[in-house]
Amino acid sequence: MSGKKIGLFVMASLGALALAGCGADDIASPGTGGNVTINNPGGGNNGGNNGGNNGGGTVTPASGCPTIDDPQGLKDDGTITGPTGTWRVCTLPSRINRSIRLTKVPGLLYQLSGRVDVGTDGGFTASASDTNVTLTIDPGVIVFGGTGQSWLAVNRGNKINAVGTQTQPIIFTSRDNVLGLNTDASQGQWGGVVLMGRGRVTDCTTGSVAAGTCERQTEGAADPARFGGANDADNSGRMSYVQIRFSGYVLGANVELQSLTGEGVGSGTQLDHIMSFNSSDDGSEWFGGSPNLKHYIAVGADDDSLDVDTGARMNVQFGLLIQRPGAGDALNEIDSNGFETDTPRTKLQLSNLTMIQPQVSSSNEANDQASALYRGNSDVTLVNSILISPNNECIRMNGSGATPVTLTARSTVLSCNATKYIGTGSLTAAQVAAAFGAGSNNNRDDFTSTLVSGFVNGSNESGIVAFNPTTLASFFSAVNYIGAASSSSDTWFSGWTCNSGTANFGSGNSGACTSLPTN
């Protein structure tokens, strides 16, 4: 989030609620990149949502929509056809008022036709007024945004239980993906998934930090979409083995959402094995709370691959952040949105990340000026990690306030251009270099990468002595290696991910990100 407002925006003139997350001032989001001609295999015309596209493939539509416990039920919106075949479309209600389960049915897709609320916001503190709605999504289910303004909002006092498996991931995607219109450059075609919790936040729109009543309003929402509270252990549910593709619909200049937005998410929420693909803004962004995230992949984010703001205290272990050549901004960014005296301080602890900006003729980073940007009232700990950005500066730190941003690095290696470090505000480049501390604590800024298959450790990576991350927090697992993938036998990314020209995760996955699995 570079020089941008925090929050999400709704474009009321579109006639439907729409949400957007924080986006850098210089981010462009081309969607499908213009008209795309698809020569589908044989098949007949269909009606419903397809708009006349001819199809083929092997999928035949389910006979109808299943019954759910919410009295509004699912709306049968006919069929949609793309290269994989023809699917039944079952549209969710705009507000889910009772706990429901979306089951996997052959030949069936679930649709978000606009903003879909899980339950009703229960307010700052848990109480009897909480609706306690849980949206359960079974392994293998595919949910698509039927319009650009489609997004899923999990309100305070409610939960999501989206738990896929390694062979049956849950996929959130766009209508264009179903129709077969996408390429590896497509992005920004629907909203995304937003979790709103009761963790502490800063930069209040309601209440104050001093009084312990700070809340933030999702900016621009026609209906309240608030988050924040005093419970850093709040539980918004679980998301595991989930792909979120082509998110971040452009509502206006620099107004996009990201794949996954966490707002006041507490440590009671379980988040693991989550893949963001081609978000037009950040891969994921986190506003306040105490979220923990393990086994995270962000491929092709058009802004930052991981963005942490406004008092979030976040732990992340095992992550692959891979940007498209010539696209994207920072691989990770930490900020406090200019509220340098607010507490809690934003705090990010990262272990075992492999972060890659490809070697291209021009640098990827834009407004952030380096592959990692750390600033504001925040503290960063970076251990057991690899940052490969041969054409860019690696780390920029911007000092502001009485106690500016801090950086602690252990067993971390950098491969950058000759400049390596940038200091702005009250910090100089020499101070940033000293904070990283190359030549001590097993840190190196003159590293030569020997990664294989794009992101798996080679001999040079294996030669770095690892740091024990369990000393940072009990969340972390003990490791004896740096980076996200220690060797060819370390395949935690296999099976539940999708492949693209930017990153190929193997033959046993759900297929190309531009297509849908049919099993």
Side-chain angles (χ1 to χ4, degrees):
M1 165 193 110
S2 307
K4 57 188 180 282
K5 291 183 182 266
I6 307 295
L8 309 172
F9 298 76
V10 168
M11 193 174 185
S13 63
L14 293 172
L17 293 176
L19 186 68
C22 165
D25 290 342
D26 47 78
I27 295 302
S29 301
T32 55
N35 294 329
V36 178
T37 300
I38 302 293
N39 294 316
N40 289 327
N45 292 328
N46 78 288
N49 285 273
N50 188 14
N53 222 27
N54 288 329
T58 61
V59 174
T60 58
S63 59
C65 297
T67 300
I68 59 173
D69 289 340
D70 192 292
Q72 296 180 82
L74 297 168
K75 181 184 177 186
D76 188 335
D77 269 325
T79 60
I80 185 169
T81 298
T84 55
T86 301
W87 304 77
R88 176 71 54 191
V89 176
C90 299
T91 300
L92 276 68
S94 61
R95 185 178 300 275
I96 302 168
N97 292 304
R98 295 183 186 175
S99 295
I100 64 170
R101 177 183 294 273
L102 304 184
T103 58
K104 178 177 169 61
V105 178
L108 186 147
L109 303 174
Y110 297 94
Q111 177 179 221
L112 312 173
S113 62
R115 170 176 170 172
V116 173
D117 284 276
V118 178
T120 301
D121 177 34
F124 190 89
T125 305
S127 69
S129 65
D130 281 353
T131 49
N132 292 312
V133 169
T134 297
L135 170 62
T136 298
I137 305 177
D138 282 354
V141 164
I142 301 173
V143 181
F144 75 95
T147 67
Q149 305 95 300
S150 301
W151 55 282
L152 182 68
V154 182
N155 290 294
R156 290 181 295 189
N158 305 278
K159 297 177 181 178
I160 188 171
N161 185 40
V163 182
T165 67
Q166 191 164 23
T167 58
Q168 291 283 304
I170 293 164
I171 298 174
F172 291 92
T173 192
S174 68
R175 182 174 181 269
D176 280 7
N177 196 187
V178 180
L179 292 173
L181 299 177
N182 285 347
T183 70
D184 277 352
S186 300
Q187 59 182 20
Q189 296 173 343
W190 68 291
V193 178
V194 181
L195 309 180
M196 289 173 274
R198 288 176 167 138
R200 290 179 295 164
V201 301
T202 62
D203 187 11
C204 320
T205 54
T206 303
S208 70
V209 168
T213 56
C214 185
E215 295 178 88
R216 286 177 56 78
Q217 162 69 5
T218 300
E219 294 180 359
D223 294 323
R226 292 178 181 164
F227 60 93
N231 181 13
D232 287 335
D234 189 43
N235 184 354
S236 295
R238 178 181 175 186
M239 295 182 69
S240 300
Y241 294 104
V242 171
Q243 298 175 23
I244 307 176
R245 307 177 180 179
F246 304 110
S247 65
Y249 182 73
V250 180
L251 304 175
N254 311 312
V255 182
E256 304 98 354
L257 226 183
Q258 42 274 322
S259 293
L260 178 61
T261 305
E263 303 176 328
V265 170
S267 60
T269 308
Q270 181 175 337
L271 301 164
D272 64 87
H273 297 90
I274 294 174
M275 178 183 185
S276 164
F277 181 74
N278 278 23
S279 168
S280 69
D281 196 46
D282 302 319
S284 66
E285 185 161 11
W286 306 86
F287 300 92
S290 294
N292 294 316
L293 176 59
K294 195 167 281 189
H295 296 113
Y296 168 63
I297 296 174
V299 174
D302 207 40
D303 190 5
D304 307 317
S305 299
L306 175 68
D307 197 341
V308 179
D309 310 291
T310 60
R313 286 130 291 135
M314 187 173 195
N315 299 315
V316 182
Q317 188 174 24
F318 308 120
L320 289 167
L321 312 183
I322 305 172
Q323 293 187 337
R324 283 175 286 150
D329 201 350
L331 287 158
N332 59 89
E333 177 183 310
I334 187 169
D335 199 358
S336 60
N337 198 34
F339 287 75
E340 315 305 346
T341 61
D342 279 0
T343 56
R345 286 173 68 95
T346 306
K347 180 179 179 181
L348 176 62
Q349 297 188 130
L350 302 175
S351 181
N352 296 97
L353 268 69
T354 298
M355 302 171 279
I356 301 171
Q357 284 185 330
Q359 187 166 358
V360 292
S361 58
S362 60
S363 63
N364 278 28
E365 35 68 27
N367 195 56
D368 286 351
Q369 303 175 27
S371 296
L373 171 60
Y374 307 133
R375 63 183 176 182
N377 188 33
S378 57
D379 303 295
V380 181
T381 300
L382 184 61
V383 306
N384 298 330
S385 292
I386 302 166
L387 197 163
I388 306 298
S389 184
N391 281 359
N392 300 334
E393 298 81 5
C394 271
I395 299 175
R396 174 187 166 207
M397 294 175 65
N398 182 72
S400 57
T403 308
V405 58
T406 66
L407 171 63
T408 301
R410 300 287 186 270
S411 299
T412 292
V413 299
L414 311 177
S415 178
C416 334
N417 68 15
T419 302
K420 299 182 183 178
Y421 307 103
I422 300 175
T424 52
S426 63
L427 297 176
T428 66
Q431 288 174 307
V432 177
F436 179 76
S440 61
N441 298 308
N442 298 309
N443 297 326
R444 291 183 56 182
D445 64 3
D446 59 351
F447 188 72
T448 299
S449 169
T450 56
L451 293 172
V452 297
S453 301
F455 50 82
V456 177
N457 286 359
S459 58
N460 287 356
E461 290 79 16
S462 298
I464 303 297
V465 177
F467 174 83
N468 180 9
T470 64
T471 61
L472 302 177
S474 59
F475 161 79
F476 291 101
S477 301
V479 294
N480 60 2
Y481 58 91
I482 70 168
S486 61
S487 66
S488 59
S489 61
D490 185 3
T491 58
W492 61 264
F493 49 80
S494 179
W496 59 278
T497 48
C498 62
N499 295 328
S500 66
T502 305
N504 190 312
F505 298 106
S507 60
N509 294 341
S510 64
C513 299
T514 53
S515 186
L516 300 182
T518 58
N519 58 321

